[in-house]
Amino acid sequence: MEISKILSVDEIDLSDPAFWARPLEEREGAFAMLRAEKPIAFMKEREIPDLPIPTGPGYWSLTRHADILETSRHPEIYCSGKGATSIADLPPEFNEFFGGLINMDDPRHGHQRRIVSRGFTPRALAKLEADVQRRADAIIDRVIERGECDFVADIAAPLPLGIICDMMGIPESQHQMVFERTNTILGLGDPDFMDDPANMIGIALGAGSELAELMNEMAELRRKNPGDDLTSSLLNADLEDGAMDGAELASFFVLLVVAGNETTRNAISHGMKALCDYPDQRRKWVADFEGLAPTAIEEIIRWSTPVIHMRRTCTRDTELGGQAMKEGDKVVLFYCSANRDEKVFADPHQFDLARTPNEHVGFGGPGPHFCLGANLARREIRVMFDRILHRLPDLEITAPPARLESNFIHGIKRMPCAFTPGRPDSSSKK
Ligand code: HEM
């Protein structure tokens, strides 16, 4: 990709929604300028019209890989539990549904993380493997005779959602509801997903409480009748570290669907777009799928960087990269920029499926909050591309993707694609 540096460093305003609607080449150009000239720029926060959240004082924008590693490694200085990991402090009523694990510090964080890790052990993931394969084949079977579809809604979205619901033991009949409510929560601010911008908080809280309600019903069922799913194991007080209570379970579920759904879906969508834009890379992967898969998946995560930023808050006065910071200052880790840092990645704007080393921070930096679902996401991406490249080998994107206008999720809302129609695989069990 050729980046375009049309903004001077002083013109860059990461708080301006219009910045996030700019073409990607310009966005990448702006981050390259910041890394070179103002790697820890202070950005003022903007008032968000109609939102009953007070406008915050501003934040330090970390754009270099090294500074993001440093802050991730030191949660005692750069914590997650004050205000939120979003730039705006969340109103307290949000914390009920959205204030899970990701917005906690030790010791509470460590305790909760040990409990939820029960769902992500190698054994638990091995158990999900058959679900991932079966679901990926069923997704292709549903579109293969049509010869065209929306890549996002029909191919990329159903897998991560289905798998999270499988993990938790949620019945298929509720999957569509979970999908729609998650979109509402993460699409906040994007005009397409908001019928009523003045009531953004109410809409998000409504969606969160519907998800929480579903989980409460599930919890009741599983308490009476435990099954072989994560919900049952999170409620099992006999295991080390004890059980989650109902409210914790609901808030964990909201975090899981929000954290695991759109992220994986967008990695798959951006990955497909990149394979179409770089046909040489695609040919190489098709020629040696298994051999290239480990590095290819990491490069797809680096390239797509589905989570653009997370925030930390300084617990005391400190200094980072020569910049003095005060206790209470907000620090925003721009993963999208760290993943293009020319000091760490050779030709960072090149999509290279064989890239080694590839120390990207797409799943967060090294530290206590490193993505819990990283191995699951890697697995889903691998299986999905295996199926797409082998069963829809000439799939092409037929119109420019409709991008999500967000400074938080690097998302694609719609992306039409076409391929030579084929036949459903009668051997795949639905
Ligand atoms: C390509 C897909 C994914 C990406 C890019 C991604 C990215 C991230 C990032 C950047 C964080 C760090 C948050 C921080 O440091 O504050 C995170 C945390 C987390 N992710 Fe993921 N994620 C993905 C998939 C998943 C999946 C599939 C799940 C679960 C099903 C998941 C569950 C979580 C959870 C629970 C946390 C919070 C961990 C904690 O605070 O201890 N993620 N993810």
Side-chain angles (χ1 to χ4, degrees), residues 48-55 91 93 198-202:
I48 312 174
D50 301 323
L51 259 198
I53 301 181
T55 309
E93 64 264 38
N199 190 24
M200 254 156 82
I201 293 208

Side-chain angles (χ1 to χ4, degrees), residues 343-360:
K343 290 212 176 83
V344 178
F345 302 100
D347 294 326
H349 301 288
Q350 188 64 42
F351 180 63
D352 174 6
L353 292 179
R355 186 180 288 279
T356 4
N358 189 348
E359 302 291 325
H360 68 78

Side-chain angles (χ1 to χ4, degrees), residues 75 80-81 85 99-117 241 244 248 255 312 367-372:
S80 298
T85 42
L101 193 64
I102 209 160
N103 288 335
M104 286 178 193
D105 296 311
D106 274 350
R108 232 183 127 207
H109 174 264
H111 180 246
Q112 288 260 311
R113 175 130 178 162
R114 284 193 298 278
I115 297 181
V116 299
S117 296
D241 292 304
M244 278 185 158
E248 286 169 339
L255 172 62
R312 301 293 188 259
H369 293 280
F370 183 81
C371 177
L372 185 62

Side-chain angles (χ1 to χ4, degrees), residues 305-369:
T305 313
V307 177
I308 294 175
H309 74 255
M310 284 283 168
R311 172 192 139 195
R312 301 293 188 259
T313 308
C314 294
T315 58
R316 52 171 143 105
D317 293 359
T318 185
E319 194 198 295
L320 178 69
Q323 176 64 55
M325 295 176 183
K326 292 248 170 263
E327 178 181 347
D329 280 3
K330 298 180 183 183
V331 180
V332 177
L333 290 61
F334 281 100
Y335 300 126
C336 58
S337 176
N339 280 346
R340 297 290 185 275
D341 190 332
E342 33 295 280
K343 290 212 176 83
V344 178
F345 302 100
D347 294 326
H349 301 288
Q350 188 64 42
F351 180 63
D352 174 6
L353 292 179
R355 186 180 288 279
T356 4
N358 189 348
E359 302 291 325
H360 68 78
V361 288
F363 289 122
H369 293 280

Side-chain angles (χ1 to χ4, degrees), residues 263-264 266-268 270-272 274-275 281 285 288-306 339 351-355 358 360 362-363 373-386 389:
T263 47
T264 314
N266 285 315
I268 295 171
H270 283 294
M272 193 68 236
L275 290 173
Q281 294 292 318
W285 202 9
D288 180 15
F289 186 85
E290 289 302 320
L292 215 50
T295 53
I297 289 157
E298 298 311 313
E299 182 66 348
I300 287 173
I301 305 287
R302 183 191 77 91
W303 189 254
S304 55
T305 313
N339 280 346
F351 180 63
D352 174 6
L353 292 179
R355 186 180 288 279
N358 189 348
H360 68 78
F363 289 122
N375 283 334
L376 175 58
R378 289 179 172 119
R379 204 57 227 161
E380 291 179 31
I381 294 167
R382 182 187 186 121
V383 172
M384 204 65 236
F385 279 107
D386 176 52
L389 294 176

Side-chain angles (χ1 to χ4, degrees), residues 146-189:
R146 283 159 48 189
E148 61 178 12
C149 66
D150 175 19
F151 188 87
V152 178
D154 298 324
I155 298 184
L159 184 66
L161 175 79
I163 294 300
I164 292 170
C165 291
D166 286 344
M167 277 179 94
M168 301 301 279
I170 291 167
E172 196 88 38
S173 57
Q174 302 283 359
H175 288 198
Q176 187 61 24
M177 182 282 249
V178 175
F179 180 61
E180 284 165 12
R181 301 304 175 272
T182 319
N183 275 350
T184 304
I185 295 168
L186 274 173
L188 283 184

Side-chain angles (χ1 to χ4, degrees), residues 4-18:
S4 143
K5 296 183 179 171
I6 61 161
L7 294 175
S8 76
V9 80
D10 293 320
E11 284 169 339
I12 301 169
D13 178 1
L14 300 180
S15 297
D16 183 356

